[in-house]
Amino acid sequence: MPEAGNKKQVFSGVQPTGKLHLGNYIGALSQWVENQTRYDNIFCIVDLHALTIAEAVRPALLREKTREVAALYLACGVDPEKSIVFVQSHIPAHAELTWILNCVTTVGWIERMTQYKSKAAQVESVSTGLLDYPVLQAADILLYRTDLVPVGEDQKQHIELTADIAHRFNRLFGEAFVIPQPLLRAEGARIMGFDDPMTKMSKSRGEIQKGHAIGLLDSADTIREVILGAVTDSSMETHFDHASPAVRNLLTIYEVLSGRTRLEIEAHFEGKGYNYLKREVADVVINRLAPIRNRYLEINRDRAYLECILQRGAERAWTIAESTLRHVQELVGIGPWASRKTDCPPGNIGR
Ligand code: ATP
Ligand code: MG
């Protein structure tokens, strides 16, 4: 239980914006599960973040995706006995703390975020929510006194911003927040698209671009088709240090999923050609994802089970989030008069 232990606190989440892909698994979920007994863990489905591009929101689909992401957490090995799993919008404290943090965050800080710049370039009208998304993310993390945030490399800048916001708040109002740090994989922190090795594999792009990503629920045939169709080059180089970005991406996926050393991998693929490499990569991906897909189908058969997990998760998360928020409110001078109970006889208001 995060409240009781002296283990480090972990917090992380995924947006229910599309199909979870291999990059999400390698960069985030597989790390969560590998470290599950070492830390106290809170894993959130960050549905408020999925509203930042309003034109793309389909309300019924968003609810369904939220449930799908939660089921995938469990299917990937997140254990609700060891980790709190909940949906962000079930706890209003996230939005409340965001407002307070907005007031200690300079516009210059958030305008510098590279993810904001690249996402803003893809949409016609940029919402304030898209600009403010990293501050909501800071609130998510800071509410739970988080020490470590296991994420992909693309989120590193946001965690650094969170640390800056926490420092500034603590300096202006008093110690409220633990300063969090990102937890990144040494290899596989940024998996690239199979169609373009210069672009990070991402859910939003995977929805529109065939051959870009592998979904965690894709069939073995689809996985093989996407990997065999991956962009490569004509050099036939399979050494990590000399391979092109596209081939290095394939080697990295193989390295993380096979657990073999680089020397073994280089010896294994030496002189065998890219077709062989791709077939082997497809095999390790299929072997890893097949049990996840089966567990997902099983979990989905019992919708009430998942709802209970999420309800219990929200209750447990609520206790921690409320106590942080009340403390923050006290420090800035707002919120209910929790410590000064007054007896108000009924009917005397306005006299
Ligand atoms: P979107 O396109 O909607 O932003 P996304 O694929 O970037 O979707 P997120 O929900 O933003 O997914 O991120 C969930 C987690 O997965 C984060 O920890 C993020 O850093 C990680 N992640 C996302 N893409 C990759 C990737 N290509 N390689 C490694 N980690 C990734
Ligand atoms: Mg993202």
Side-chain angles (χ1 to χ4, degrees), residues 294-310:
N294 292 339
R295 275 202 298 273
Y296 172 84
L297 295 174
E298 217 170 278
I299 291 162
N300 247 6
R301 260 181 233 128
D302 186 356
R303 289 173 84 89
Y305 167 72
L306 190 61
E307 268 155 36
C308 286
I309 303 272
L310 294 176

Side-chain angles (χ1 to χ4, degrees), residues 256-291:
V256 176
L257 298 185
S258 72
R260 297 173 78 177
T261 67
R262 285 198 170 187
L263 280 178
E264 285 170 350
I265 294 169
E266 286 173 348
H268 182 65
F269 290 120
E270 181 77 55
K272 300 244 179 67
Y274 290 155
N275 201 37
Y276 181 77
L277 168 69
K278 286 177 174 179
R279 278 191 279 119
E280 292 272 296
V281 173
D283 283 346
V284 288
V285 173
I286 290 166
N287 287 340
R288 181 62 71 97
L289 296 189

Side-chain angles (χ1 to χ4, degrees), residues 12-15 17 21 23-24 27-28 115 119 133 150-155 188-192 200-205:
S12 197
V14 173
Q15 308 183 66
T17 37
H21 53 73
N24 300 133
Q115 198 161 106
K119 289 211 171 185
Y133 156 114
V151 280
E153 205 261 332
D154 61 302
Q155 292 297 326
R190 183 184 272 278
I191 300 297
M192 310 310 281
K200 175 190 91 69
M201 189 179 287
S202 82
K203 277 188 251 102
S204 24
R205 194 175 167 115

Side-chain angles (χ1 to χ4, degrees), residues 25-83:
Y25 178 74
I26 292 178
L29 275 103
S30 65
Q31 274 211 88
W32 303 354
V33 173
E34 281 164 24
N35 292 319
Q36 201 166 205
T37 49
R38 192 156 160 216
Y39 302 123
D40 286 329
N41 315 284
I42 304 183
F43 300 123
C44 182
I45 298 96
V46 289
D47 57 347
L48 295 176
H49 287 275
L51 302 178
T52 50
I53 300 173
E55 296 86 339
V57 175
R58 305 282 173 270
L61 189 64
L62 177 56
R63 245 183 230 292
E64 205 40 50
K65 284 279 164 201
T66 300
R67 167 189 287 283
E68 182 182 301
V69 174
L72 270 168
Y73 283 6
L74 304 188
C76 286
V78 169
D79 177 351
E81 294 303 320
K82 297 197 183 99
S83 303

Side-chain angles (χ1 to χ4, degrees), residues 196-320:
D196 174 5
M198 305 320 278
T199 307
K200 175 190 91 69
M201 189 179 287
S202 82
K203 277 188 251 102
S204 24
R205 194 175 167 115
E207 293 287 297
I208 44 174
Q209 188 88 16
K210 204 166 174 280
H212 170 75
I214 283 175
L216 299 189
L217 297 172
D218 281 350
S219 68
D221 286 348
T222 305
I223 295 172
R224 254 191 214 100
E225 190 187 326
V226 171
I227 295 182
L228 289 175
V231 169
T232 45
D233 57 84
S234 54
S235 76
M236 292 299 148
E237 179 59 75
T238 51
H239 283 83
F240 279 88
D241 290 342
H242 309 298
S244 65
V247 173
R248 199 187 154 96
N249 193 40
L250 293 171
L251 289 167
T252 301
I253 293 169
Y254 187 87
E255 182 185 12
V256 176
L257 298 185
S258 72
R260 297 173 78 177
T261 67
R262 285 198 170 187
L263 280 178
E264 285 170 350
I265 294 169
E266 286 173 348
H268 182 65
F269 290 120
E270 181 77 55
K272 300 244 179 67
Y274 290 155
N275 201 37
Y276 181 77
L277 168 69
K278 286 177 174 179
R279 278 191 279 119
E280 292 272 296
V281 173
D283 283 346
V284 288
V285 173
I286 290 166
N287 287 340
R288 181 62 71 97
L289 296 189
I292 292 176
R293 189 160 172 248
N294 292 339
R295 275 202 298 273
Y296 172 84
L297 295 174
E298 217 170 278
I299 291 162
N300 247 6
R301 260 181 233 128
D302 186 356
R303 289 173 84 89
Y305 167 72
L306 190 61
E307 268 155 36
C308 286
I309 303 272
L310 294 176
Q311 195 178 321
R312 190 154 59 94
E315 283 161 11
R316 293 169 69 197
W318 183 288
T319 315
I320 309 168

Side-chain angles (χ1 to χ4, degrees), residues 110-123 126-134 157-158:
I110 47 174
E111 277 177 342
R112 273 201 292 278
M113 295 299 111
T114 53
Q115 198 161 106
Y116 164 69
K117 289 184 202 162
S118 68
K119 289 211 171 185
Q122 291 163 26
V123 290
V126 178
S127 72
T128 312
L130 188 63
L131 178 65
D132 203 34
Y133 156 114
Q157 195 186 30
H158 290 170

